[in-house]
Amino acid sequence: MRVNAYAAPAAGEPLAPTTVERRDVGTNDVLIEIEYAGICHSDIHTVNGDWGPQPFPVVPGHEIVGRVTEVGDGVTRHRVGDRVGVGCMVNSCGECTNCRNGDEQYCRRGMTPTYAGTDRDGTTTQGGYSTHVVVDADFVLSVPDGLDPAAAAPLLCAGITTYSPLRRWGAGPGKKVAVVGLGGLGHLAVKIAHALGAEVTVLSQSLKKQEDGLRLGADHYHATADRETFKQLAGRFDLILNTVSASIDLNAYLRLLAVDGTLVNVGAPAEPLSLHVMSLIGGRRSFAGSMIGGIAQTQEMLDFCAEHGIGAEIEVIPAEKINQAYERVLASDVRYRFVIDASTLR
Ligand code: NAP
Ligand code: ZN
């Protein structure tokens, strides 16, 4: 089946309309008619070549929500007409210790990314900036009825990427959590950490989005351009979630951790970060990383968000505005996620 899509033809070049081939629906496959696809900063890193060479043309998009229009004979968990989602991965080996522990994202044989990855049949995966996609049913999530489909799309990457470390490092009542960067990931981190009962502080470059941050659930809001912030908040936090897409002065942020505190980096800048071990030693602190979350936890996150009325704050755009949206994300001018209306691709 040939379907419409938007692709980056080469590194750093604007995206343009194209078509891609979707495989026939296999025994364990689901065909999804895409309704919405979020724009993640990872899409931009990928097509700009920040993370190395890519198999161009690349159709990005790993925050997918749509309706099931066909299922294979072996599929029991999804039915035609169901509203479903697909995130950053579409397959894994299913047999290694990590897959068996529900950490498919860390599959020892390598999970299959939703785009710019190599599928089981050797073809290159193409993502959600498209009208349809065929995905193995085990990597298709159920989108609960209570969630608005457009606002739910960003949960499939930004939502799980922040939910997973917040749970892993115990964000909850009595914990002081800081979120660095109020973009796509950051604004969902604020909502989720607040819903988990933590005391939430936003650390943004400026105070421009302070009102929004407080409305989203933050208890405190500080500008990182103001050096006073780093004096005032020294030793304060149990957990800092860094969602920034560029390099930051890691040591300055590590000093904001209390004893035994952890700074978890989910932001994935192109350049290495520099770390003075004294920033860790001087408070038994930890520096960690985290990548999306497993399939079971992604479903748990969607159910949690439905229960707590959490969706992304979005700006829905037609496909022809994708390149403009990329510019605005790069300028930190996103409030707080662009979502492509896939009907504009038909
Ligand atoms: P985004 O919407 O662009 O948000 C990033 C935010 O970081 C910006 O809104 C801005 O917030 C802040 N920022 C940007 N440039 C900065 C700079 N030079 N210095 C300080 N702060 C800066 O991006 P996103 O979609 O949330 O993604 C964020 C990062 O996470 C990207 O690197 C992405 O690839 C990565 N990511 C990782 C995973 C994972 O599994 N680990 C999953 C998804 C995405 P303020 O304006 O508030 O300062
Ligand atoms: Zn993403």
Coordinates of all heavy atoms in Angstrom, one line a residue, residues 8 14 62 82 84 112 131 142 151 157 175 181 193 232 255 300 303 312 315:
A8 N 12.0 14.1 5.1 CA 13.3 14.9 4.9 C 14.1 14.2 3.8 O 14.4 13.0 4.0 CB 14.0 15.0 6.2
P14 N 14.6 20.9 4.1 CA 13.2 21.0 4.5 C 12.5 19.7 4.1 O 12.8 19.1 3.1 CB 12.7 22.2 3.7 CG 13.8 22.8 3.0 CD 15.0 21.9 3.1
H62 N 7.0 9.9 15.8 CA 6.9 8.8 16.7 C 5.9 9.1 17.9 O 6.1 8.6 19.0 CB 8.2 8.2 17.2 CG 9.1 9.2 17.9 ND1 10.5 9.1 17.9 CD2 8.9 10.3 18.7 CE1 11.0 10.1 18.6 NE2 10.1 10.8 19.1
D82 N -10.9 0.7 17.0 CA -10.2 1.1 18.2 C -9.3 2.4 18.0 O -8.7 2.4 17.0 CB -9.3 0.0 18.8 CG -10.1 -1.1 19.5 OD1 -11.3 -1.0 19.5 OD2 -9.4 -2.1 19.9
V84 N -5.9 4.0 18.9 CA -4.7 3.4 19.3 C -3.5 4.4 19.1 O -3.7 5.5 18.5 CB -4.3 2.1 18.6 CG1 -5.3 1.0 18.9 CG2 -4.3 2.4 17.1
T112 N 13.5 -1.8 17.4 CA 13.3 -1.2 16.1 C 12.6 0.2 16.3 O 11.5 0.3 16.7 CB 12.4 -2.1 15.2 OG1 12.9 -3.4 15.2 CG2 12.3 -1.5 13.8
T131 N -0.3 9.1 6.4 CA -1.7 8.8 6.6 C -2.0 7.5 7.2 O -3.0 7.3 7.9 CB -2.5 8.9 5.2 OG1 -1.8 7.9 4.4 CG2 -2.4 10.3 4.6
S142 N -3.3 1.1 23.6 CA -4.8 1.5 23.6 C -4.9 3.0 24.1 O -4.3 3.2 25.2 CB -5.6 0.6 24.4 OG -5.5 -0.7 23.9
A151 N -4.3 15.7 21.7 CA -3.5 16.0 22.9 C -2.9 14.8 23.5 O -1.9 14.9 24.2 CB -4.4 16.7 24.0
C157 N 5.5 9.8 23.2 CA 7.0 10.0 23.4 C 7.2 10.9 24.6 O 7.8 10.4 25.6 CB 7.7 10.4 22.2 SG 9.5 10.8 22.5
K175 N 8.5 14.9 47.9 CA 9.7 15.0 47.0 C 9.7 16.3 46.3 O 8.7 16.7 45.7 CB 9.8 13.8 46.0 CG 9.8 12.5 46.6 CD 11.2 12.1 47.1 CE 11.2 10.7 47.6 NZ 12.5 10.3 48.2
G181 N 13.8 23.1 31.5 CA 13.3 23.3 30.1 C 11.8 23.1 30.0 O 11.3 22.0 30.3
A193 N 4.5 15.2 37.2 CA 5.1 15.2 38.5 C 4.1 15.8 39.5 O 4.0 15.4 40.7 CB 6.4 16.0 38.5
Q232 N 20.3 30.5 45.2 CA 19.0 30.4 46.1 C 18.6 28.9 46.2 O 18.1 28.5 47.2 CB 17.9 31.2 45.4 CG 16.8 31.6 46.2 CD 15.7 32.2 45.3 OE1 16.0 32.9 44.3 NE2 14.4 32.0 45.7
R255 N 24.7 20.9 41.5 CA 24.8 21.6 42.9 C 23.4 21.9 43.4 O 23.3 22.3 44.6 CB 25.7 22.8 42.8 CG 27.2 22.4 42.7 CD 28.1 23.6 42.9 NE 28.1 24.5 41.8 CZ 28.9 24.4 40.7 NH1 29.8 23.5 40.6 NH2 28.8 25.3 39.7
E300 N 0.5 2.0 31.0 CA 0.2 2.5 32.4 C 0.2 4.0 32.4 O -0.7 4.6 33.0 CB 1.3 2.0 33.3 CG 1.3 2.5 34.7 CD 2.5 2.1 35.5 OE1 2.9 0.9 35.6 OE2 3.2 3.0 36.1
D303 N -3.1 5.4 30.8 CA -4.2 5.2 31.7 C -4.1 6.2 32.9 O -5.1 6.8 33.3 CB -4.2 3.7 32.3 CG -4.4 2.7 31.2 OD1 -4.9 3.1 30.1 OD2 -4.1 1.5 31.4
A312 N -1.3 16.8 26.3 CA -0.3 17.9 26.0 C -1.1 19.2 25.7 O -2.2 19.2 25.3 CB 0.5 17.5 24.9
E315 N -0.5 22.8 19.6 CA -0.9 23.6 18.5 C -1.0 22.7 17.3 O 0.0 22.1 16.9 CB 0.2 24.7 18.3 CG -0.3 25.9 17.6 CD 0.8 27.0 17.5 OE1 1.4 27.3 18.5 OE2 1.1 27.5 16.4

